[in-house]
Amino acid sequence: MKFGVCYYPEHWPESRWETDARMMREVGLSIVRIAEFAWSRIEPEERRFDWDWLDRAIETLADAGLQIVLGTPTAAPPAWLSLNYPDTLPVDEQGRRRNFGGRRHYCPNSLTFRTHTRRIVTAMAERYGQNPHVIGWQIDNEFGGGRTARCYCHECLGAFRVWLRHRYGALKALNEAWGTVFWSQEYHDWDQIPFPVGAGSSANPSHALDYFRFASDSFVHYQHFQISNLKSAISNQQFLTHNFMGLFFRDLDYFDLAAPLDFVSLDNYPTAGIDRVRGEMYGEEPAPKHYAYDVGDAALTAMELDLARGWKNKPFWIMEQQPGHVNWGTVNPGVRPGTVRLWTWHALAAGAETVMFFRWRAARFAQEQYHAGLLNHDASPNVGFFDLQKMVGERALMAQVTAEPVRAQVAMIFNYDDLWALQLQPHRSGFTYLRLAFTWYRALLALGISVDFRPLGAELSGYQMVLAPGLFLGSADLADKLCEYASTGGTLVLGVRSGFKTPSNLVTDEPLPGVFRDLAGVGVREWHALPTGRGYALESELSGLDGEATVWAEALTPGPSPEGRGEIEVLARYGAGPFAGEAALTVHKLRDGQVVYCGWHPTQRQAEAMIGELATRVGVEGAGQFPAGVLAFRRGRFTVVLNFTEVAQDVQVGEAKGNVPSRGVWVVENGEGHPF
Ligand code: GAL
Ligand code: ZN
């Protein structure tokens, strides 16, 4: 369990470095990330490198006992590069080339940019790849951030066509996979294929989905390019990571991006990202009011953290932890003592093994002047600094907690292709993949049940229950895999719109839920999107499953292929409306396991009733029930209780009782509470 900080020696007079380094050590930091935006200082002119300052910065930090994480500075190409090689600049959907003056102004497919990338990355690797103080590398910075994941330049178009050739082999196959006969879109030459933008109508969704996939692959390949250049010169003791973003970002397949890295790092900003996604994530349900005003939305943060653990299914780092207020939300609330500590414990409880704060000292100039650091602009300590001082005293306990693996009995399948396909054609406004997943996730959180997010191909046999709320694009392979899981004793829960589409984003020609209908044991006779304020009454013996089916409802009937179908139990029915009397929630016994089909977009309360019932049936244990706004995580003999509300809360864990202060943390070990 280590703490670190992001530092920009190039922003401060050199005479200050030693003081900063000493103060970092004194406050318990042991790692510093540097250089990820310092290209213009490292290579001020093409091929002229200035290493002296960076050598001295590393030496000064290392002399104070700090370990270094070096960023490759490719997120911030210098002016000479962008201006002399304008083909490296990305192009937006409207065909406008971006200007120099911000960051992330490069196209991942630009061959010219690859040349410059190779030079800077290799030079850094050669210089510091064997430096014992450099423990690892962060590749680039937040790929895709600031709406830069999808470029529409000439080189991308060529690369897209090559990518399509690989995927489809023949144009005939592409034309079929996209249904281009519609509106005379058929292609007779690969060079006729355009970008899926700018046509004046919405794009063909199959074309657009492939572009999203291609754009994601472009950054995955660009990252590979950096990795292979780094690996030619660095020691195998040095790790490779990249800093991933939170739930507001969904343009890259983070499972793919994570695959070649040693571990994932997350940039954890609980108060800012939520402004962007809260409306979407709660939809018509009221967003909770019980969180303290400066903590963010704990459920959203929790999902981000669990996703971060899921991208590689292992402990991760927080590369940037919000240290106080930020500058990029809508209100950017001031942060009170205790909140940074609460966030840090939350990250640790969810599987972070190192937490780095962003940034050491607030910047006096340029775009992020209003962003807090551990130190204020005048170098006086800020709120995060004081919290850190407190946490240093807790480090031994933190280390014990993080030594216990997070063990989840439940997995949730998370898949970017489904997310993108629904984003392209939600059919009903407010229907998003993340909102659906988040509703089910909040139910788990309320029940205190830990969950691992897993990608489509993952091994599932170790999980007692697998939740798959959004398997929109079905394939026979996937159906077989899930059948294997469920028939050998697993419990699989499917959600609405399952199997509606093929992987190339065409509607299935099979009865719904398409390739999953033998699994589900039921068919979808009819589906309705429902306007806000309208719902179909539900009837169920289970408490909590009453109320109405809103947003989206499907009438479930016994499946179309009775052979091999096991017994079907109906847990909820429609009580009124056009689907009156028809099934809404079914359980299909499938040899040693079962497949549940939830035929509407549940509210959190309904999802809780459904998942709670299933968890009890299959023996999944939660950490218990806690007051609203209090989250609890089990790690081996520890339970970490986090109070995100404005008031102290009475909490009981086993025999231990505690009154956890507002924004306080309570660790219970084997039934004994540690001090708050
Ligand atoms: C991150 C980024 C940092 C800094 C920070 C501010 O997204 O990686 O460089 O901009 O946000 O909160
Ligand atoms: Zn491009």
Side-chain angles (χ1 to χ4, degrees), residues 89-91 107-110 151-157 211:
L89 290 166
V91 172
C107 163
N109 287 311
S110 158
C151 173
Y152 299 87
C153 79
H154 187 69
E155 270 178 289
C156 282
L157 189 55
Y211 200 72

Side-chain angles (χ1 to χ4, degrees), residues 178-187 199-205:
W178 290 4
T180 52
V181 65
F182 193 78
W183 289 352
S184 264
Q185 294 166 48
E186 282 163 306
Y187 299 108
S201 78
S202 65
N204 176 324

Side-chain angles (χ1 to χ4, degrees), residues 88-149:
T88 60
L89 290 166
V91 172
D92 71 11
E93 277 191 25
Q94 278 78 42
R96 298 172 302 204
R97 244 184 223 287
R98 284 181 64 170
N99 284 331
F100 177 80
R103 61 176 166 178
R104 302 220 51 76
H105 43 284
Y106 71 85
C107 163
N109 287 311
S110 158
L111 291 180
T112 311
F113 194 66
R114 295 272 170 124
T115 309
H116 294 285
T117 297
R118 176 185 292 124
R119 192 178 57 253
I120 187 74
V121 167
T122 314
M124 278 184 87
E126 281 168 357
R127 187 131 193 126
Y128 302 112
Q130 306 298 325
N131 185 317
H133 304 297
V134 175
I135 56 170
W137 299 77
Q138 172 188 297
I139 297 163
D140 203 287
N141 190 83
E142 293 188 342
F143 285 127
R147 292 179 57 87
T148 58

